[in-house]
Amino acid sequence: MLKNLTIVGFLLFSIVGFSQQNFKKTLKLMGSRFDITVVANSETEGNQYINTAVSEITRIEKIISSWDSNSETSEINRNAGIKPVKVSEELFNLIERALAISKLTNGAFDISYASMDRIWKYDGSMEQMPSEETIKASVSKVGYENIILDKEEHSVVLKLKGMKIGFGAIGKGYAADKAKALLINKGVKAGIINASGDLNAWGTQANGKDWMVAITNPLNKEKAFSWLPVVNSAVVTSGNYEKFVRFNGIRYSHIIDPRTGYPSTGIISVSIFTSNAEFADAISTSIFVMGVDTGLNFINQLKGVECIIVDENNKVHTSKKIKLENPN
Ligand code: ADP
Ligand code: MG
C-alpha cells in the first residue's frame, strides 16, 4: 500500500512538474534590452505574466525618465532653483533611498551627477576633452546635499538653477526589483528580470534546477568567467565597455566622479551580488568612482554583498567570499 501511494505521488508530481515551462521574451524598455523569463503552465499564462512585468517597467519608466518631459523627474529638473515639486510617494521614496546611498558612499553615487550629461557625451559626438573651466562650472551644479526633500509636503527641490537629477545608475535595478515583487505577488513561482545585465531572480527553473548566470569577461564577450547559480537574489554588472571616450591615451568611462566632474578611470567592469538589484545597481556604479582598493574595502564591510571587479589592465579582483578559478 505504501509503495502504491509513493507511485501515485510520483505520478502526480511528474504531471505537475512537466506542465511547467520557462518562457522568455526579449524587448527594449527604458532604452535598454530586457530579458524577462517566467515559469508558467502554458504559453498563454507565460505571456500574461511577461506582459504584467512589461507594464510595471513601463510605468516606472514614465516616472523616472529624464527624457520624457511629462515625467515627474523632468518636472523636478525644470523647477531646479525655482520651487519644490510635489511628487508621488514612489518617487519620493526612491530619491530618499538614493540620498542614503550617496551618504553611504561618501558622495561617489549621486543622482545629481546628471547635469554633467551636458558636457560628457558617450554617443560618439565628443571630439575633444571639455575644458577645465567648463567642467568646473558644471560640477558646481552637482551635489546631493542640494536635493531637498520635504516629507510632509512630499516635495522635492533642487536648490541650484541648472541642477538636474537622473536615475541612470539605479533605475534598471529598481525596475527589476519592482517587476519581480509584482510577479511574486501575482503568484508567479519563478523567473528572472534581466535589465541589460542587472538582474533579480526568484524560484527555480521549470525543471527544478537553479537559474544560472554567466559572468562575462568584458574583454572577450564569447567567453564567460564562470556560470553561477542565482538563488533568490540579484546580480548586477556595471560597465558598458562600449560607453567610454579616450583622450590623451586615458580611457574615461560613462560614470562621473560627482566630486570632480571627471569620468572615472581604471575600472572596466563591476559585478555585485546581493539580494536587492536597486542597491546593487547603485553600488556597482559607486565602485567605479571609488577605484579598486577603496571599492573592495567598502564591499568587504557590507554584509551580504560581494563583488568582482575587472580593472583596465584586465586584472580581476574579488571581495572576500568570492573565489574564482584562474581568474587572471
Ligand atoms: P551601466 O549603464 O553599465 O549599467 P551603471 O548602472 O553604472 O552602468 O549606470 C551608469 C549611468 O549612471 C551613467 O550612464 C549615468 O547615467 C549615471 N551616472 C554616472 N555617474 C554617476 C554617479 N556618480 N552617480 C550616479 N549616477 C551616475
Ligand atoms: Mg549602476
Side-chain angles (χ1 to χ4, degrees):
M1 181 61 196
L2 191 64
K3 206 171 169 188
N4 282 346
L5 265 182
T6 318
I7 290 169
V8 171
F10 175 74
L11 279 177
L12 271 178
F13 176 80
S14 304
I15 291 162
V16 174
F18 277 113
S19 61
Q20 297 240 305
Q21 282 179 55
N22 301 342
F23 294 94
K24 180 174 165 184
K25 199 166 182 179
T26 299
L27 60 178
K28 199 164 179 187
L29 296 163
M30 304 176 97
S32 306
R33 176 195 163 124
F34 271 70
D35 297 283
I36 301 170
T37 311
V38 294
V39 170
N41 288 311
S42 65
E43 195 171 345
T44 317
E45 194 182 63
N47 279 334
Q48 195 189 325
Y49 292 163
I50 289 170
N51 289 341
T52 304
V54 172
S55 13
E56 178 65 356
I57 296 159
T58 313
R59 187 189 66 76
I60 292 167
E61 183 179 10
K62 288 212 172 98
I63 301 174
I64 67 173
S65 164
S66 4
W67 309 114
D68 178 352
S69 60
N70 294 317
S71 74
E72 290 185 81
T73 302
S74 295
E75 170 111 37
I76 295 174
N77 288 340
R78 257 197 308 276
N79 286 290
I82 302 174
K83 63 170 201 292
V85 174
K86 266 191 205 291
V87 296
S88 62
E89 184 167 3
E90 181 168 8
L91 184 60
F92 189 91
N93 293 343
L94 178 64
I95 296 175
E96 203 170 36
R97 292 195 300 279
L99 293 182
I101 298 174
S102 294
K103 286 193 190 116
L104 182 71
T105 59
N106 268 323
F109 176 82
D110 191 332
I111 52 172
S112 74
Y113 86 90
S115 63
M116 303 304 297
D117 276 0
R118 298 186 180 114
I119 59 168
W120 293 102
K121 299 191 189 299
Y122 298 91
D123 54 5
S125 65
M126 265 178 100
E127 276 166 15
Q128 53 184 17
M129 179 113 170
S131 72
E132 229 178 286
E133 299 82 68
T134 328
I135 294 173
K136 244 194 177 147
S138 287
V139 82
S140 70
K141 306 292 182 190
V142 178
Y144 68 93
E145 309 84 358
N146 290 323
I147 303 172
I148 313 295
L149 298 180
D150 183 330
K151 244 192 154 79
E152 260 146 49
E153 290 290 315
H154 252 251
S155 69
V156 187
V157 66
L158 310 179
K159 254 191 176 166
L160 311 175
K161 253 206 141 77
M163 254 182 105
K164 209 173 127 187
I165 55 172
F167 297 96
I170 192 170
K172 280 184 278 165
Y174 176 60
D177 287 348
K178 288 288 281 186
K180 166 180 166 177
L182 181 63
L183 291 188
I184 289 176
N185 197 271
K186 301 265 180 213
V188 183
K189 284 214 189 75
I192 309 183
I193 312 291
N194 184 348
S196 305
D198 296 356
L199 66 88
N200 201 338
W202 73 105
T204 60
Q205 300 186 52
N207 64 9
K209 293 190 177 149
D210 286 339
W211 298 112
M212 302 292 286
V213 286
I215 303 300
T216 46
N217 181 340
L219 302 161
N220 181 355
K221 286 178 227 164
E222 310 302 312
K223 207 173 147 230
F225 281 139
S226 50
W227 283 86
L228 299 174
V230 258
V231 182
N232 207 14
S233 62
V235 179
V236 166
T237 299
S238 263
N240 195 328
Y241 1 113
E242 280 104 41
K243 260 184 164 176
F244 67 88
V245 284
R246 207 184 272 280
F247 294 117
N248 308 322
I250 301 177
R251 186 187 202 275
Y252 293 100
S253 85
H254 64 304
I255 293 170
I256 312 280
D257 185 334
R259 296 156 301 192
T260 63
Y262 281 84
S264 68
T265 57
I267 294 181
I268 294 184
S269 116
V270 177
S271 298
I272 302 278
F273 305 82
T274 189
S275 56
N276 171 302
E278 172 191 318
F279 183 71
D281 196 359
I283 292 300
S284 62
T285 305
S286 314
I287 304 289
F288 273 81
V289 176
M290 291 178 187
V292 175
D293 294 342
T294 312
L296 276 179
N297 197 13
F298 172 75
I299 295 291
N300 283 331
Q301 289 177 49
L302 295 176
K303 228 180 132 194
V305 186
E306 299 297 328
C307 75
I308 301 177
I309 305 173
V310 181
D311 72 22
E312 64 181 1
N313 300 316
N314 310 335
K315 197 166 158 26
V316 179
H317 309 260
T318 59
S319 60
K320 271 192 216 143
K321 288 193 184 154
I322 294 189
K323 300 270 177 285
L324 293 174
E325 283 171 31
N326 296 325
N328 286 305

